[in-house]
Amino acid sequence: MPQPWATWTDQQWLDNAASYHAARLTADAWSALDATKQSRALTSARTQLTPWIENANYPMAVYEQALWMTTEAGSNSINDYSSVSVGESSVSVSYGRSRSSSGNPAWMSPVAWALLGEDETMGSRGKWTVGRLR
């Protein structure tokens, strides 16, 4: 049986994301994004997290992923930067080789990862197995 969010309109996703973030410390960061960027972020997050669409925490993970992708930390992680240093006449970038210390994929918000039950410290062995042998 499909989950209710499988039939939500883009406007319902925007409204629900606004309600979700309004009740959290992320309220200011989410409301600082214009509606177009919010919509694009939600669409991207929904696409990225499609393998978990049946998970009860899918909508919350989408909201977290959408906001995280618009942050500097998210952008750096998605681009696989583990550190960026700016010197007097140089810029140095270290790459993380697509592996975070928490075990989540570099392209995924750590909060979304935990919401979807993929945090191995919680004993989950979810759908994410690419690049890992079990």
Side-chain angles (χ1 to χ4, degrees):
M1 182 164 134
Q3 298 290 352
W5 48 84
T7 59
W8 286 352
T9 65
D10 289 344
Q11 189 59 52
Q12 286 174 304
W13 277 100
L14 280 168
D15 293 344
N16 292 334
S19 295
Y20 174 85
H21 287 294
R24 290 171 173 67
L25 291 174
T26 55
D28 292 336
W30 183 253
S31 64
L33 301 173
D34 64 54
T36 301
K37 191 151 191 173
Q38 288 176 348
S39 181
R40 288 178 181 165
L42 284 168
T43 298
S44 295
R46 288 166 49 199
T47 300
Q48 291 173 338
L49 301 181
T50 297
W52 294 274
I53 197 166
E54 294 297 323
N55 188 301
N57 291 329
Y58 176 78
M60 291 182 296
V62 167
Y63 309 145
E64 291 289 346
Q65 178 75 3
L67 179 60
W68 179 79
M69 288 188 307
T70 67
T71 66
E72 184 176 350
S75 178
N76 286 343
S77 187
I78 289 167
N79 290 310
D80 200 25
Y81 302 155
S82 63
S83 69
V84 179
S85 302
V86 179
E88 193 171 302
S89 61
S90 65
V91 174
S92 173
V93 177
S94 297
Y95 294 92
R97 303 292 180 243
S98 298
R99 184 79 173 155
S100 74
S101 60
S102 64
N104 64 301
W107 56 266
M108 187 185 282
S109 156
V111 176
W113 179 256
L115 283 167
L116 295 171
E118 297 293 341
D119 186 346
E120 289 186 358
T121 63
M122 295 169 36
S124 172
R125 301 190 73 85
K127 297 178 184 179
W128 181 257
T129 58
V130 175
R132 294 193 298 182
L133 298 175
R134 295 187 183 226

